[in-house]
Amino acid sequence: MKRIFSGAQPTGNVHLGNYLGALRNWVALQREYESFFCIVNLHAITLPQDPKILAAKTRELARIYLSVGIDPNISTVFVQSDVAEHTELTWILNCSARMGELERMTQFKDKARKQQEENVSVGYFDYPVLMASDILLYQTNLVPVGEDQKQHLELARDIAIRFNRDYGQTFVVPEPFIPKVGARIMSLADPTKKMSKSDEESEAGCIMLLDDADAVRRKFKRAVTDSGTEIRFDESRRAINNLLTIYHLLTGKSAAEVEAHFSGKGYARLKEDLADVTIGFLKPIQERVRGIDDDKLDAILKQGAEKAEAIARATLKHAKESLGLVGARK
Ligand code: AQP
């Protein structure tokens, strides 16, 4: 079986963009691939975090993975900091990555622009190398991610190719899996920006998986719309296109069926229907999140970490041998 690896950060709240761009595809792919789904808490600390909140969010995110349909009997679910090999391989790959490559990463450039560059952590700069380690440790074939991670994934491929060229075949070179629809869900408040958990200004534009019905209704009601009244898919009308994409993905109706459903209707109806569909979709997920007790979660994460560690250890050993990093311990 080929392998997939993916992860999300336990920061802020998981939103519909994370679900439609990534988690939904993990669920769909987990039966075809040997699957590793990680809660990437080491990525989270590249920006300042409150330790208590980070710990709580780590467990909440694990509950969300399980509640959206990740099956721990067939997929490996684990917390990144439980598998020390992620950080050790990062050091090794840091020596293959190039400063110029990291400086070109748009996520870093955006953040550096927002904060002053000297206040951005070295870890934030190095984030894509940690991500490359995550992926390469599991000899991953396919990485299902949203579009914002495409550039980081290309870097992971470049690092793998360079390492294999310089030190002999060590890593599988991964392929991205970026969905045709839903790879970039936009903010409801500003459809020129992606739905994002760290963008505080756009909280109103972000439907969280744990939002209650009132919040969902309020956010859709206030969603920005375009000029023009016709409700149909049109990439040049970003706001309406985004709303219809969400509706299409959550209902499973084809684009033609969605357009037929809204034919002759107005934005108010679209927003109401979207809120109804979203509330109906979120309710069972939220119930499952509440239903997973601590002991069960601990057992799943422990089992996941053990399984992940065994594979990570073998890959790291191979990488160290490829480099000539041999000491007294085998
Ligand atoms: N708006 C989005 N549309 C589609 N997919 C998205 N993803 C994120 N935003 C969207 C995908 O969700 C997965 C997990 O994301 P992450 O936790 O690594 O965070 P991120 O990519 O940095 O984006 P977030 O969640 O909005 O956080 P911030 O605000 O920190 O940038 C990834 O596969 C991602 O592509």
Side-chain angles (χ1 to χ4, degrees):
M1 242 181 169
K2 291 194 167 183
R3 284 202 186 131
I4 58 177
F5 174 96
S6 201
Q9 299 185 66
T11 49
N13 295 305
V14 182
H15 52 73
L16 218 45
N18 298 133
Y19 175 75
L20 296 174
L23 272 68
R24 178 174 181 269
N25 301 308
W26 305 357
V27 175
L29 292 166
Q30 67 180 334
R31 280 167 220 285
E32 279 172 64
Y33 290 82
E34 188 185 0
S35 305
F36 294 81
F37 300 119
C38 187
I39 293 131
V40 291
N41 57 350
L42 296 170
H43 283 273
I45 60 165
T46 58
L47 295 174
Q49 303 294 338
D50 176 318
K52 281 207 181 81
I53 296 176
L54 179 63
K57 288 284 171 195
T58 300
R59 295 180 71 78
E60 183 182 281
L61 183 56
R63 286 185 159 90
I64 289 177
Y65 281 10
L66 301 170
S67 302
V68 297
I70 301 295
D71 179 351
N73 295 312
I74 54 172
S75 297
T76 302
V77 177
F78 69 105
V79 178
Q80 191 182 27
S81 63
D82 274 340
V83 182
E85 283 76 4
H86 287 249
T87 42
E88 193 171 345
L89 185 62
T90 300
W91 178 257
I92 288 174
L93 298 184
N94 271 336
C95 301
S96 283
R98 305 283 181 256
M99 288 290 287
E101 287 173 323
L102 294 181
E103 276 163 358
R104 283 195 292 277
M105 295 293 114
T106 50
Q107 181 174 300
F108 173 76
K109 285 197 286 188
D110 288 350
K111 194 64 72 178
R113 209 177 300 132
K114 270 189 206 156
Q115 303 186 6
Q116 284 168 330
E117 192 160 343
E118 62 266 30
N119 291 330
V120 178
S121 75
V122 175
Y124 197 81
F125 181 67
D126 204 29
Y127 176 115
V129 182
L130 177 59
M131 182 166 154
S133 302
D134 299 339
I135 296 165
L136 302 185
L137 263 182
Y138 298 94
Q139 305 291 9
T140 302
N141 302 98
L142 198 70
V143 187
V145 284
E147 203 179 73
D148 63 329
Q149 294 299 331
K150 192 170 170 219
Q151 196 187 27
H152 290 161
L153 203 62
E154 276 160 11
L155 180 71
R157 286 171 54 82
D158 290 344
I159 291 175
I161 291 167
R162 187 178 305 140
F163 191 100
N164 290 345
R165 183 199 65 199
D166 294 346
Y167 304 109
Q169 179 59 39
T170 307
F171 298 116
V172 168
V173 179
E175 297 288 337
F177 177 96
I178 297 174
K180 286 198 184 72
V181 183
R184 194 171 177 80
I185 297 294
M186 309 310 278
S187 162
L188 304 185
D190 179 355
T192 63
K193 292 203 314 211
K194 75 161 196 147
M195 204 176 262
S196 162
K197 45 178 140 68
S198 66
D199 188 352
E200 279 153 27
E201 291 158 34
S202 71
E203 230 257 50
C206 211
I207 304 280
M208 309 303 181
L209 293 198
L210 301 183
D211 271 349
D212 62 26
D214 286 349
V216 172
R217 276 194 203 290
R218 191 178 60 245
K219 290 177 185 178
F220 276 121
K221 209 169 185 177
R222 291 192 192 150
V224 169
T225 49
D226 308 280
S227 55
T229 51
E230 217 184 335
I231 299 191
R232 61 178 170 81
F233 286 93
D234 176 354
E235 283 183 12
S236 69
R237 290 163 68 210
R238 287 186 175 177
I240 191 76
N241 213 62
N242 191 42
L243 295 176
L244 288 178
T245 299
I246 295 172
Y247 189 87
H248 158 63
L249 292 173
L250 289 184
T251 58
K253 286 187 181 159
S254 69
E257 284 168 337
V258 173
E259 287 182 348
H261 176 82
F262 289 111
S263 163
K265 294 174 186 141
Y267 284 139
R269 175 65 190 274
L270 169 64
K271 289 176 171 187
E272 272 164 36
D273 283 10
L274 253 174
D276 288 341
V277 162
T278 306
I279 292 163
F281 167 76
L282 295 180
K283 197 165 168 256
I285 293 176
Q286 294 172 355
E287 279 163 9
R288 286 195 287 273
V289 166
R290 286 192 289 272
I292 301 169
D293 67 40
D294 277 330
D295 289 348
K296 185 172 173 201
L297 191 66
D298 285 340
I300 290 170
L301 293 178
K302 184 165 177 286
Q303 180 190 302
E306 284 165 0
K307 170 131 190 257
E309 191 178 39
I311 294 165
R313 196 183 298 139
T315 307
L316 181 66
K317 184 167 180 280
H318 185 177
K320 287 168 85 172
E321 284 167 0
S322 300
L323 278 165
L325 293 172
V326 288
R329 299 181 72 189
K330 291 272 177 256

